[in-house]
């Protein structure tokens, strides 16, 4: 095997530009595969972290009638827990309302949350510092779309538990910035005690956010969504995006492997005398097959080395400074968490897995044309006859 590697290396170096073209194509493919996968992994990890910090916590205990995708059931999806409220749960009550910025009517979700909660990153501590009648928090997207600023007073209209309309003024006390659109766009956050008084739904909630210490036991009329279940939809979106992106780098890998295949076919055709000489000197046919297979796989080994040398500074730069996303992507309510800067996650497992994929693929592609060597007649090969 050592002799095979030595001969393969000398043959590759002797081939000159042809070898470096193959190595260059494979190295480019190697870098692209790692970069795209790291980009999606980084997006996935950031989106999960932000969703946990701003919306999901460590799980949610939801009312049996609550469906986040059904706006017609939100007003009726609330109730009281039949068990004493755990300190590891934070109540959230959701009601539909209408906001009137500058005389325009905007349909929103009015969400009440405990001002003392510590589970989410929402700046609810600002409620206690405000002397406004009804203090409200809004996100940057909500503020931007409705041209709202801190200190603005707006008319808010809602229905109480009996269906009676009521209205009052709210005051914007703080505008928070988050990558999670589902806690920002089209909604306001107010103290849950105020919302209970406004709607007459004292002690009721639409769902509860669980802390890390929460231990779930079945509760009548409520169902529990674990953190993994809440993040499942996001992971499915990332996986779908990864599957569609894989078409690009498998196409690039296919082009690189085709170049290696053609190089091996041409090499075997042009080096028949050399093959006959190897056999005449005592090598078996399968040893010669092994030699040409190793020679083909050496392309991928050199490509991995070249790709690593070129890729390390590129990977370091993007993992440190990130990839900026345009405002029209991050500021739109698309239901997907996208950060303003995405930091690719270049893990050892991803890099080693990509190296293994490239080397294994190149070895298989090199072996396919090399099998024909086993069928060659060494005498005709020494004479240079085409076989």
């Amino acid at each position: 095997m050592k002799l095979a590697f030595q001969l393969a290396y000398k043959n590759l170096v002797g081939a000159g530009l042809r070898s470096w073209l193959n190595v260059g194509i494979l190295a480019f493919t190697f870098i692209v595969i790692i970069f795209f996968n790291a980009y999606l992994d980084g997006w996935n990890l950031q989106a999960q972290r932000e969703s946990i910090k701003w919306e999901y916590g460590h799980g949610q205990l939801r009312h049996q009638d609550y469906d986040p995708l059904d706006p017609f059931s939100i007003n009726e999806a609330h109730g009281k827990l039949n068990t004493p409220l755990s300190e590891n749960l934070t109540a959230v009550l959701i009601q539909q309302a209408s906001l009137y910025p500058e005389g325009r009517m905007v349909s929103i979700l009015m969400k009440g949350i405990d001002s003392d909660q510590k589970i989410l990153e929402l700046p609810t501590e600002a409620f206690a510092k405000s002397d406004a009648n009804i203090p409200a928090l809004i996100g940057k997207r909500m503020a931007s779309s409705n041209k709202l600023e801190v200190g603005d007073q707006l008319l808010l209209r809602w229905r109480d538990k009996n269906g009676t309309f009521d209205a009052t003024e709210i005051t914007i006390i703080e505008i928070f910035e988050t990558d999670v659109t589902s806690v920002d766009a089209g909604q306001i956050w107010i103290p849950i005690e105020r919302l209970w008084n406004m709607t007459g739904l004292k002690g009721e909630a639409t769902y509860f956010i669980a802390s890390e210490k929460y231990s779930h036991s079945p509760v009548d009329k409520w169902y529990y969504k674990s953190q993994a279940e809440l993040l499942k939809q996001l992971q499915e979106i990332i996986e779908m995006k990864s599957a569609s992106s894989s078409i690009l780098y498998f196409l690039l890998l296919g082009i690189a492997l085709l170049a290696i295949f053609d190089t091996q076919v041409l090499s075997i055709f042009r080096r028949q005398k050399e093959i006959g000489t190897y056999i005449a000197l005592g090598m078996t046919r399968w040893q010669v097959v092994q030699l040409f297979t190793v020679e083909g796989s050496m392309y991928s080994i050199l490509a991995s080395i070249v790709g690593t040398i070129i890729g390390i500074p590129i990977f370091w730069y993007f993992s440190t400074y990130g990839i900026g996303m345009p405002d029209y992507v991050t500021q739109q309510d698309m239901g997907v968490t996208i950060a303003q800067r995405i930091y690719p996650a270049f893990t050892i497992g991803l890099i080693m897995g990509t190296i293994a994929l490239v080397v294994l693929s190149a070895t298989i592609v090199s072996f396919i044309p090399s099998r024909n060597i086993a069928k060659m007649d060494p005498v005709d090969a020494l004479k240079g006859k085409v076989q």
Side-chain angles (χ1 to χ4, degrees), residues 39-295:
Y39 170 79
L40 292 173
D41 287 346
W43 175 16
N44 186 23
L45 291 172
Q46 283 181 255
Q48 287 188 32
R49 283 196 301 266
E50 293 300 305
S51 296
I52 291 169
K53 289 195 299 184
W54 286 92
E55 183 178 16
Y56 297 146
H58 290 270
Q60 292 181 356
L61 184 63
R62 294 179 172 180
H63 190 269
Q64 62 181 3
D65 296 328
Y66 176 56
D67 182 356
L69 302 179
D70 182 9
F72 298 103
S73 66
I74 287 178
N75 268 12
E76 305 303 323
H78 52 77
K80 294 182 179 180
L81 275 179
N82 298 328
T83 58
L85 183 60
S86 169
E87 61 179 8
N88 297 318
L89 291 174
T90 294
V92 176
L93 177 62
I94 305 176
Q95 291 289 285
Q96 292 173 324
S98 297
L99 199 63
Y100 293 86
E102 300 178 350
R104 296 174 289 109
M105 185 180 78
V106 179
S107 296
I108 63 165
L109 291 179
M110 181 171 52
K111 295 185 174 182
I113 190 169
D114 188 356
S115 58
D116 295 327
Q117 67 86 27
K118 302 295 182 184
I119 300 174
L120 300 183
E121 291 286 319
L122 289 168
T124 53
E125 66 278 359
F127 291 146
K129 301 175 183 177
S130 174
D131 56 1
N133 180 37
I134 301 181
L137 301 173
I138 61 173
K140 188 177 179 181
R141 295 174 184 82
M142 179 70 175
S144 176
S145 62
N146 295 286
K147 298 180 173 60
L148 301 177
E149 296 178 354
V150 173
D152 286 352
Q153 293 185 329
L154 308 164
L155 182 64
L156 178 71
R157 189 188 68 168
W158 72 95
R159 286 177 183 264
D160 63 16
K161 66 178 183 179
N162 299 315
T164 304
F165 281 107
D166 202 351
T168 190
E169 281 192 340
I170 63 170
T171 304
I172 306 300
I173 62 169
E174 188 167 334
I175 297 174
F176 59 85
E177 186 172 356
T178 176
D179 298 327
V180 184
T181 60
S182 51
V183 299
D184 178 351
Q187 54 199 280
I188 63 171
W189 295 82
I190 63 176
I192 195 168
E193 294 84 2
R194 301 288 178 88
L195 187 53
W196 283 339
N197 294 332
M198 292 160 59
T199 58
L201 300 172
K202 181 66 176 177
E204 299 196 20
T206 303
Y207 64 87
F208 293 88
I209 302 169
S211 71
E212 190 174 4
K213 297 179 181 178
Y214 175 72
S215 178
H216 177 65
S217 57
V219 181
D220 188 35
K221 296 184 179 180
W222 296 82
Y223 66 96
Y224 181 68
K225 282 269 189 179
S226 67
Q227 189 181 92
E229 290 176 303
L230 293 169
L231 293 171
K232 184 179 179 182
Q233 185 178 12
L234 174 63
Q235 291 174 340
E236 288 175 348
I237 292 173
I238 300 295
E239 288 172 1
M240 182 175 64
K241 185 67 177 174
S242 178
S244 61
S245 298
S246 65
I247 297 173
L248 171 64
Y249 50 77
F250 276 121
L251 181 63
L252 289 172
L253 182 60
I255 293 172
L257 295 178
L258 181 61
I260 293 176
F261 181 85
D262 290 343
T263 301
Q264 288 295 91
V265 171
L266 179 62
S267 179
I268 292 170
F269 175 77
R270 295 178 60 182
R271 295 163 60 188
Q272 291 192 50
K273 285 187 176 181
E274 181 183 338
I275 293 170
T277 303
Y278 286 143
I279 297 174
L281 290 173
M283 294 180 68
T284 65
R285 288 181 173 84
W286 284 107
Q287 284 179 321
V288 180
V289 171
Q290 185 184 59
L291 170 63
F292 277 78
T293 303
V294 169
E295 189 174 313

Side-chain angles (χ1 to χ4, degrees), residues 23-24 68 131 243 254 370:
V23 169
D131 56 1
S370 300

